[in-house]
Amino acid sequence: WLSAVTGKGYEPADTWFRSLLSEDDLGKLSEHPEFHSYMEFRRGPGPSQYQAPELLIHAQLGTIVDALNRFQEVDIWKGPTIKALVDSLEEAVILAPVDFLRLLPKFVYAKRPYQFGVIEGFRRLWTNGDQNSKSIDWNSVWEGLILFFEQLIGEPSFWTEVVVEDRNWTPNRDWIPPVIANCIKAGTLDDGKAYSPSLLPRSWSLLQILLNRLEGGQDTPSDPTNHSINSPRGKAIEALFTHALRDCRLNDQTRNDHSAAWEAMRPIFDAELAKCQNANFEFSALAGNYLPNLEYMAPEWLRANIGKIFPSEFRDNFKCALDGLAYTTVSDSVYALLVTSGVIELALQEQDLGERVRQRLIERVALAYLWNNEQLDSPRLIYLFQSNKADDLQHASSWFWGIREEQLPLEHVARILQFWDRCVFWSRELSSPPTELLSSLGRLSCYLQSLGPKETDWLLASASHVGVNHNYDFFLEELDRLADNNPNEVSSVMKVFLESHVPDYDFEDRLKSIIIKVARHGKREDAIQFTEKLRHLTGMLQLYTSLCKGI
């Protein structure tokens, strides 16, 4: 209360206020004495004890590790924090990597947050920086980093120390293994930007340590691939793949064969695969994701182990591998392997796949059908029809429509239309029509160039349902195009369409355009009926009047 009146020229109030402030038992005055209560919100790590330029001075003096280790957090709410200091350290490494390379041996004695910071600084510089424009001897940097990694995770006590987490997300021991895995991945991912082949045996040994020490998730992840690429063990597994691929490519370049390199690495892959029995979900997901790469590295091993990568007896691992497969590229040979091993059929029968994984699977089957690797009477497609998988067929239809702007060969277009025909025939055998599927099929009219009895029949089958999911705009766009040369057929389709759905707007005047074309080609009575049903739309009354007058 006194804080509101002090300093206003009344000495007794000022004296009393100073007296109260001097009493330690009362504590400090509230920051907002005008409020009964208030809340503060902050985000980010807060201020740093040292900024990057200040850390560079310590680095040049050789005192940086001591300066970092001495810092103690006092007030993580408003005061400097370790996390902020780590961020400053990363920036300092990026500014002066040569100085920090010289100091790496001293960072063995730094606290864990700063060990993480110096590694992450070098990783960011390598990944985001243009090393060709900087006078950095990356061979020396990687030599120093690999040695630093060996000194850290090669020490047994590293893995037994107690890890304390805080609410400020301060880096600790557990942050170091995944950042080392990220470095190895970054250093082996691209042959045009990779560390020296002479370091590969040492980084392979580091990966073995990581894989032996890091534990995977105990429960099946809800998003297996995302979990794997972001978890410590998953990062190590992904680095395993990029490292193995780098080694195989180098052997192909120098010896035109990488079989010996693969045989040397094979025991690690065998050991990881053997763990995929209601466990090691990270490897299952990433093996599915790197399936084409495994085919390159070890086609015979892949054929022999495809059933272990997609184990039907371990359903959770099977689903994780399918999740990884959803993100990978498509090839004829891999698809053929998945078919001959029964993986595709088992996957189609799996009832508990996520929507995204299921859709990617259907797209894979649809593409195989387009490439003539699947037929309408193949077991995979027969299963979809016999099991009433209308949602899957609808997604295949949507995918076919989605590639309409590609320069598809005529045989691909013919196969899409055959699919449409099969779906219409199948739908008529059902007790109730699959409305969403038939609506989606209507969009495939974009592939029609003319209308015969069969094509008209397809359009009629969809015309009653294109209002579902708002597909009628696309349908009308194609009817407008087809009406130029097929007015009679389009008129019959329009009758069915308007019996089931009366639009409340005329997008781009497509309805008017269709009606005018139908009228000009001898179907004026039909055109008049159409305008009567659409008289609530802007301009339809005028069009109706013109048609009645024969204009």
Side-chain angles (χ1 to χ4, degrees), residues 68-327:
L68 292 170
N69 284 344
R70 279 197 306 268
F71 172 67
Q72 297 289 329
E73 285 184 348
V74 177
D75 178 9
I76 65 171
W77 180 249
K78 295 182 180 179
T81 64
I82 294 175
K83 180 64 173 66
L85 186 53
V86 170
D87 291 344
S88 294
L89 175 59
E90 291 177 23
E91 297 301 326
V93 171
I94 293 172
L95 292 173
V98 175
D99 289 340
F100 281 92
L101 176 62
R102 173 177 52 84
L103 292 167
L104 264 182
K106 291 189 176 183
F107 272 85
V108 173
Y109 307 103
K111 293 180 178 179
R112 298 301 187 198
Y114 311 120
Q115 291 175 342
F116 167 84
V118 74
I119 296 171
E120 178 65 5
F122 278 111
R123 189 202 64 81
R124 287 174 54 192
L125 181 64
W126 171 263
T127 303
N128 302 325
D130 183 2
Q131 74 275 16
N132 295 321
S133 66
K134 303 176 186 291
S135 56
I136 301 174
D137 180 4
W138 278 105
N139 287 330
S140 297
V141 171
W142 277 108
E143 179 76 34
L145 284 173
I146 295 295
L147 176 60
F148 187 51
F149 299 159
E150 292 168 338
Q151 291 172 318
L152 292 181
I153 66 173
E155 177 61 45
S157 61
F158 175 89
W159 299 99
T160 58
E161 72 179 54
V162 177
V163 177
V164 178
E165 297 183 358
D166 62 32
R167 63 180 184 177
N168 208 35
W169 287 88
T170 302
N172 54 39
R173 193 280 312 271
D174 287 347
W175 290 46
I176 294 175
V179 78
I180 290 176
N182 281 344
C183 285
I184 294 174
K185 176 187 172 182
T188 56
L189 189 62
D190 182 358
D191 288 343
K193 183 182 177 182
Y195 54 73
S196 171
S198 64
L199 294 174
L200 289 176
R202 294 170 64 185
S203 53
W204 185 254
S205 297
L206 289 170
L207 286 174
Q208 292 183 66
I209 294 173
L210 292 174
L211 291 171
N212 288 332
R213 292 286 190 172
L214 292 172
E215 295 183 359
Q218 299 300 311
D219 299 322
T220 309
S222 58
D223 190 349
T225 303
N226 184 56
H227 162 79
S228 298
I229 63 177
N230 290 293
S231 67
R233 194 166 205 283
K235 289 177 185 292
I237 292 171
E238 192 162 25
L240 175 76
F241 278 101
T242 61
H243 193 291
L245 285 164
R246 167 76 172 150
D247 204 349
C248 288
R249 292 193 301 267
L250 286 172
N251 276 269
D252 283 339
Q253 294 168 14
T254 57
R255 303 175 184 175
N256 201 31
D257 179 73
H258 63 261
S259 57
W262 167 256
E263 284 303 316
M265 297 182 290
R266 176 177 175 173
I268 302 300
F269 285 86
D270 285 337
E272 289 299 317
L273 191 56
K275 299 174 186 175
C276 295
Q277 300 180 3
N278 294 329
N280 206 13
F281 303 114
E282 297 85 357
F283 188 83
S284 290
L286 290 170
N289 185 247
Y290 279 85
L291 212 59
N293 306 99
L294 284 169
E295 184 187 36
Y296 156 69
M297 290 192 292
E300 294 182 3
W301 182 89
L302 178 60
R303 282 193 293 272
N305 289 282
I306 190 69
K308 294 180 180 178
I309 295 174
F310 295 90
S312 58
E313 64 272 35
F314 300 107
R315 186 163 168 260
D316 289 339
N317 291 89
F318 181 82
K319 290 193 295 182
C320 286
L322 284 179
D323 191 272
L325 181 68
Y327 289 97

